[in-house]
């Protein structure tokens, strides 16, 4: 038997992996930091462009067997691939001053980011549990090294070790869950796993029973979902995020907060919407959403360091992303229109969030020295007076994350979440989302107001490197644009 391979479907993955190889070759033969960085940025942009181009055609599938395909590339996969490519290019732009200062070797740094991007692109098209988990780990593994690349700093080394240890445990939990589900059903493809879990299985010497009635099935589903919840820093699997973000170089923290979280959301959506029965995952996700957004917002109120505040903010934002999927806990939330609305809201909110989060981190990078960490929040007092446009961009990103005008992107994102919950008859969860959004206003508005407060120290302004300024301008402009075109994002998110 000859198995056909659709190389067009694999083209974005080829480009992402090829970018990693080209970066190493450029670093080896040219050995110029600017050339290595340029190759990485161009490769990331080409990956995003090709993902969009391939996604505009008909859905494609490859590596197929009788019960399913391991690689499925469609509209939503194209959106994921494009976002990963653009995020990688943006983070590389933010990393230019860091690399110029010699904080990290350019070749290894760009190679690791390109490898992580490859995992993200493949993750969006994963059609079975093995491909999904391997792609997710390909996305995550390079980040262990990148987090520890702030040389001669104990915080960076401690953050890398923390991230590595907790991530390995989470991966083991996910793999154990996948193994248990395979033991029950004998299936790995996502499209085949769902029907197998709702069907009957035969036990030795006993009459066939429904797979979902077996304790082994419930344990496998719970372990798989909880292991993936680590990737989005959902409570109670969030403890690694603040220390890791604060110890990592600022551009790496930006990548962790955007691309890594996007990978976790894509993985959870893949298993929840295709493979696992919502009767089991719905209550679990509703519980995670409530805990995550509540704990994230309450702890963020007490933060005094900027990176930790953004880390706890991203924890809370993960709760908002999971909230629409919590509507699957009720039968009315599992109907056709309610189900599709919930999935679309989760994907759209993720896109809105990563754009605003990248803009916020870009502004923080612009306001800090290349070798510095995020610093204390009070060190940003008067920053918008010293750097008018940079401070305005940071204030806009924070207000957008809070869901207030003129940050229309964040406002429409929260409206989409609440609307999906009301469509699924989960009004109680919509009320909790609204209450948490009000709590979040306290720290977002406090920091935004601090940017315009008089600075008694009268600190001087500093020049913003042009790559950082370019990323900040593009991220802020894109955040403003999608705020005026929310329906376009919702159409993309619907796949």
């Amino acid at each position: 038997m000859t198995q056909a391979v659709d190389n067009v479907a694999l083209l974005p993955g080829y480009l992402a992996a090829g970018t990693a190889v080209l970066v190493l070759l450029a670093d080896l033969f040219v050995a110029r930091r600017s050339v290595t960085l340029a190759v990485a940025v161009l490769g990331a942009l080409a990956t995003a462009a090709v993902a969009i181009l391939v996604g505009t055609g008909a859905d494609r599938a490859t590596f197929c067997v009788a019960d399913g395909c391991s690689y499925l590339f469609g509209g939503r996969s194209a959106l994921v691939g494009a976002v990963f490519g653009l995020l990688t290019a943006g983070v590389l732009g933010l990393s230019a001053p860091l690399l110029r200062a010699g904080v990290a070797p350019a070749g290894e740094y760009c190679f690791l980011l390109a490898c992580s991007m490859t995992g993200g692109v493949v993750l969006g098209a994963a059609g079975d549990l093995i491909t999904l988990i391997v792609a997710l780990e390909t996305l995550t593994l390079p980040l262990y090294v990148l987090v520890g690349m702030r040389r001669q700093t104990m915080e960076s080394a401690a953050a890398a070790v923390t991230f590595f240890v907790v991530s390995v445990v989470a991966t083991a939990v996910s793999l154990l869950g996948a193994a248990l589900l395979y033991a029950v059903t004998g299936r790995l493809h996502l499209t085949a796993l769902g029907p197998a879990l709702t069907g009957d299985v035969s036990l030795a010497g006993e009459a066939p029973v429904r797979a979902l009635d077996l304790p082994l099935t419930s344990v496998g589903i719970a372990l798989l979902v909880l292991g993936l919840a680590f990737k989005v820093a959902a409570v109670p699997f969030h403890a690694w995020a603040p220390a890791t973000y604060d110890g990592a170089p600022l551009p790496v923290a930006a990548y962790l907060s955007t691309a890594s979280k996007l990978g976790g959301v894509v993985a959870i959506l893949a298993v929840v919407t295709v493979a696992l029965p919502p009767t089991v995952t719905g209550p679990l996700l509703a519980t995670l959403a409530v805990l995550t957004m509540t704990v994230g917002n309450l702890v963020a109120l007490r933060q005094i360091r900027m990176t930790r505040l953004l880390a706890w903010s991203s924890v809370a934002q993960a709760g908002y992303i999971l909230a629409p999927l919590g509507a699957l806990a009720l039968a009315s939330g599992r109907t056709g229109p309610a189900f599709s609305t919930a999935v679309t809201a989760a994907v759209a909110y993720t896109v809105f969030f990563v754009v605003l989060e990248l803009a916020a981190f870009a502004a923080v990078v612009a306001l800090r020295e290349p070798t510095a960490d995020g610093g204390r929040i009070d060190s940003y007092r008067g920053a918008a007076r010293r750097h008018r446009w940079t401070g305005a961009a940071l204030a806009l990103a924070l207000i957008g994350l809070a869901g207030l005008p003129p940050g229309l992107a964040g406002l429409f994102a929260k409206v989409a979440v609440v609307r999906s919950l009301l469509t699924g008859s989960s009004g109680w969860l919509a009320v909790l989302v609204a209450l948490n959004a009000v709590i979040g206003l306290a720290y977002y508005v406090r920091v935004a107001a601090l940017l315009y407060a008089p600075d008694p120290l009268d600190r001087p302004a500093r020049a913003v490197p042009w790559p950082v300024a370019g990323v900040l301008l593009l991220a802020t402009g894109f955040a403003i644009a999608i705020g005026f075109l929310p329906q376009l994002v919702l159409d993309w998110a619907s796949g």
Side-chain angles (χ1 to χ4, degrees), residues 17-299:
T19 298
V21 175
L22 286 176
V23 162
L24 285 182
L25 293 176
D27 186 55
L28 177 63
F29 292 108
V30 181
R32 292 183 57 186
R33 188 185 303 112
S34 58
V35 174
T36 303
L37 187 60
V39 169
V41 171
L42 291 175
L45 293 175
T47 300
V50 170
I52 295 172
L53 185 63
V54 175
T56 56
D59 291 355
R60 293 176 173 274
T62 190
F63 301 126
C64 299
V65 293
D67 61 351
C69 298
S70 294
Y71 196 89
L72 304 163
F73 201 91
R76 192 170 291 159
S77 304
L79 174 62
V80 172
V83 172
F84 269 111
L86 293 174
L87 284 175
T88 304
V91 170
L92 285 166
L94 297 180
S95 304
L98 188 79
L99 299 178
R100 191 180 298 118
V103 175
E108 291 87 337
Y109 187 94
C110 296
F111 170 75
L112 290 169
L113 272 178
C115 289
S116 184
M117 174 180 66
T118 304
V121 171
V122 174
L123 176 63
D128 65 63
L129 288 177
I130 299 302
T131 304
L132 184 138
I133 293 176
V134 170
L136 191 58
E137 287 311 300
T138 305
L139 166 65
T140 306
L141 280 171
L143 301 180
Y144 304 152
V145 182
L146 288 169
V147 167
M149 273 198 170
R150 277 176 58 201
R151 293 172 175 170
Q152 298 178 343
T153 57
M154 184 63 68
E155 294 82 1
S156 182
V161 172
T162 300
F163 185 35
F164 173 74
V165 172
V166 179
S167 183
V168 166
V169 173
T171 302
V173 169
S174 297
L175 286 171
L176 178 58
L180 293 179
L181 292 177
Y182 180 75
V184 172
T185 64
R187 300 285 188 272
L188 285 174
H189 289 97
L190 302 179
T191 53
L193 189 57
L197 287 172
T198 56
D200 293 339
V201 294
S202 298
L203 301 177
E206 298 183 18
V209 296
R210 200 165 71 107
L212 282 178
D213 293 335
L214 295 174
L216 193 62
T217 304
S218 299
V219 173
I221 292 173
L223 290 176
L224 178 59
V225 173
L226 294 177
L228 296 178
F230 160 85
K231 304 299 181 181
V232 297
V235 175
F237 311 102
H238 65 290
W240 62 273
T244 301
Y245 286 24
D246 201 27
L250 278 174
V252 177
Y255 196 79
L256 278 168
S257 187
T258 54
S260 179
K261 192 174 293 289
L262 173 63
V265 172
V266 170
I268 289 175
L269 283 172
V271 298
V272 168
T273 61
V274 180
L276 304 182
T279 52
V280 179
T281 57
L284 182 61
L285 291 171
T287 304
L288 287 175
V290 172
L291 288 174
T292 302
M293 58 187 172
T294 303
V295 172
N297 280 317
L298 290 177
V299 180

Side-chain angles (χ1 to χ4, degrees), residues 366-408:
L367 293 171
R368 303 291 293 174
E369 295 291 337
T371 58
D373 57 15
R376 292 174 60 91
I377 293 174
D378 53 19
S379 69
Y380 292 81
R381 180 180 294 274
R385 294 170 177 251
R386 299 188 298 272
H387 305 85
R388 182 177 304 173
W389 297 110
T390 304
L394 179 55
L396 180 65
L398 293 172
I399 290 171
L401 289 169
L404 288 178
L408 296 179

Side-chain angles (χ1 to χ4, degrees), residues 350-495:
T350 305
V351 173
F352 284 123
F353 162 73
V354 297
V355 173
L356 289 167
E357 190 80 349
L358 180 64
F361 268 102
V364 170
V365 172
L367 293 171
R368 303 291 293 174
E369 295 291 337
T371 58
D373 57 15
R376 292 174 60 91
I377 293 174
D378 53 19
S379 69
Y380 292 81
R381 180 180 294 274
R385 294 170 177 251
R386 299 188 298 272
H387 305 85
R388 182 177 304 173
W389 297 110
T390 304
L394 179 55
L396 180 65
L398 293 172
I399 290 171
L401 289 169
L404 288 178
L408 296 179
L411 174 62
F412 285 119
K414 285 187 171 57
V415 169
V417 169
V418 171
R419 184 178 63 180
S420 71
L421 292 171
L422 295 177
T423 302
S425 301
S426 295
W428 66 275
L429 193 49
V431 171
L432 289 175
V433 168
L435 288 175
N436 273 280
V438 173
I439 296 173
L441 293 178
Y443 58 87
Y444 285 126
V445 174
R446 172 172 62 91
V447 177
L450 189 71
L451 296 173
Y452 289 91
D455 183 10
L457 299 179
D458 195 24
R459 283 167 281 212
R462 56 179 297 272
V464 178
W466 69 264
V468 176
V471 173
L472 177 60
L473 177 63
L474 290 173
T476 306
F478 193 64
I480 294 172
I482 62 176
F484 285 102
L485 299 169
Q487 191 57 47
L488 180 62
V489 178
L490 291 173
D491 291 341
W492 285 343
S494 63

